[in-house]
Amino acid sequence: MIDDVGIVSLGQDGVISKWTRNNQNHWQWAKLLDAGKEDSVCFAYQRDRIAVAFPRLGVKVWIWIKGTWQPQRSILRQNVTSIKFVEDGEALIGGTSDGVLWYCQVPNGTLRAYAFLKSKVLDLDVNAAGTHALVSQAGGRAHLVGIQQMDHKGKIEQVYATNGDVENKQGVGAVFANSCRSVLFGTIDNNLLVWDKTKGEIIYGLDHDGEQAQAIACFDKGPNAYIVTGTKSGLLCWWKPPPAD
């Protein structure tokens, strides 16, 4: 959530929950809304907006209006596998199981295809400026795609792959790191790879002592930049990335 005051999560039962900390540093649970019993795939949250993707129904959208979450017009795009709010919540980008990267303003925009990437989109990340998306795909590839300015919308600007040597067994999506100068994606010999965002070259690897990283979180504020990774066995690692220059 904004200012790190809490966490919003989507459960397998379709319930979207909010977890916030009280003054005693205890976590308190509250239900935001019930998205429905249909199997959901992923969701996006930004301040007063929630979107949930369903394989058969498309993407449902809710906006917080006058004290309640009110449903909006759905985006009728099936087989969506990942979604993110962009433009301060005024639009969504999404990826599909057949490799389409799309864009739609909410709640009443027109669905537009940005790129056709051939293989299933596993995950999306958007840089802090909202100009580029990282599109992670099946087969161990990730693309840097422009999503702003008319001449760059849908333009593939960089590819992160090492000729089939990159493993991505746990399905960890590519993420921006180090003030969006680096990209974390893929592993070689259980080393999580750190790439130069612009050059598309591997800078170094984060060694997890033979374990596979399956979760990544990045923190970038001012001069501070940190990476937290988690492995299947429950090991959490805190990294201070070196300068990307």
Side-chain angles (χ1 to χ4, degrees):
M1 298 178 67
I2 299 295
D3 296 327
D4 301 326
V5 296
I7 294 168
V8 177
S9 64
L10 169 65
Q12 288 183 325
D13 57 359
V15 173
I16 295 178
S17 303
K18 177 176 69 172
W19 301 83
T20 52
R21 284 177 295 183
N22 59 23
N23 292 334
Q24 286 77 42
N25 206 28
H26 293 153
W27 288 94
Q28 291 184 312
W29 174 85
K31 176 180 174 181
L32 291 185
L33 62 88
D34 189 340
K37 300 305 179 188
E38 180 88 12
D39 286 342
S40 54
V41 178
C42 56
F43 86 115
Y45 165 82
Q46 182 156 336
R47 203 171 49 249
D48 61 347
R49 292 159 191 251
I50 291 173
V52 182
F54 301 87
R56 296 189 304 118
L57 302 178
V59 181
K60 292 184 178 181
V61 179
W62 291 263
I63 297 180
W64 182 258
I65 301 174
K66 297 180 179 178
T68 60
W69 288 101
Q70 299 190 16
Q72 306 296 307
R73 184 177 69 91
S74 295
I75 299 172
L76 301 179
R77 184 62 169 88
Q78 294 180 322
N79 300 317
V80 172
T81 52
S82 186
I83 48 176
K84 283 282 188 298
F85 278 109
V86 293
E87 298 174 9
D88 200 29
E90 295 298 314
L92 277 167
I93 63 167
T96 69
S97 59
D98 52 357
V100 177
L101 180 68
W102 55 264
Y103 166 95
C104 188
Q105 291 181 322
V106 291
N108 296 308
T110 301
L111 186 69
R112 295 203 300 257
Y114 267 7
F116 299 92
L117 301 172
K118 298 180 181 178
S119 62
K120 180 179 179 179
V121 175
L122 298 176
D123 196 38
L124 295 171
D125 193 25
V126 178
N127 66 345
T131 58
H132 292 82
L134 274 176
V135 186
S136 307
Q137 292 183 264
R141 295 173 69 84
H143 293 82
L144 180 69
V145 182
I147 57 172
Q148 209 177 55
Q149 284 121 22
M150 289 308 296
D151 56 336
H152 284 286
K153 285 183 178 178
K155 181 180 178 182
I156 298 172
E157 300 184 18
Q158 192 53 264
V159 179
Y160 308 97
T162 59
N163 300 321
D165 294 332
V166 174
E167 307 163 18
N168 205 25
K169 298 173 185 175
Q170 305 297 336
V172 180
V175 297
F176 289 104
N178 202 7
S179 301
C180 296
R181 292 178 294 178
S182 305
V183 170
L184 305 180
F185 179 66
T187 59
I188 293 180
D189 297 328
N190 290 318
N191 287 275
L192 178 63
L193 302 179
V194 183
W195 306 71
D196 182 290
K197 184 195 75 175
T198 304
K199 296 178 182 178
E201 299 173 351
I202 298 171
I203 308 170
Y204 52 91
L206 305 179
D207 186 0
H208 289 78
D209 293 327
E211 293 195 55
Q212 181 97 14
Q214 67 171 14
I216 307 170
C218 297
F219 173 88
D220 285 309
K221 283 190 179 176
N224 298 312
Y226 302 102
I227 299 165
V228 178
T229 57
T231 68
K232 192 173 183 179
S233 68
L235 175 69
L236 285 175
C237 299
W238 178 285
W239 312 83
K240 174 70 174 173
D245 299 333

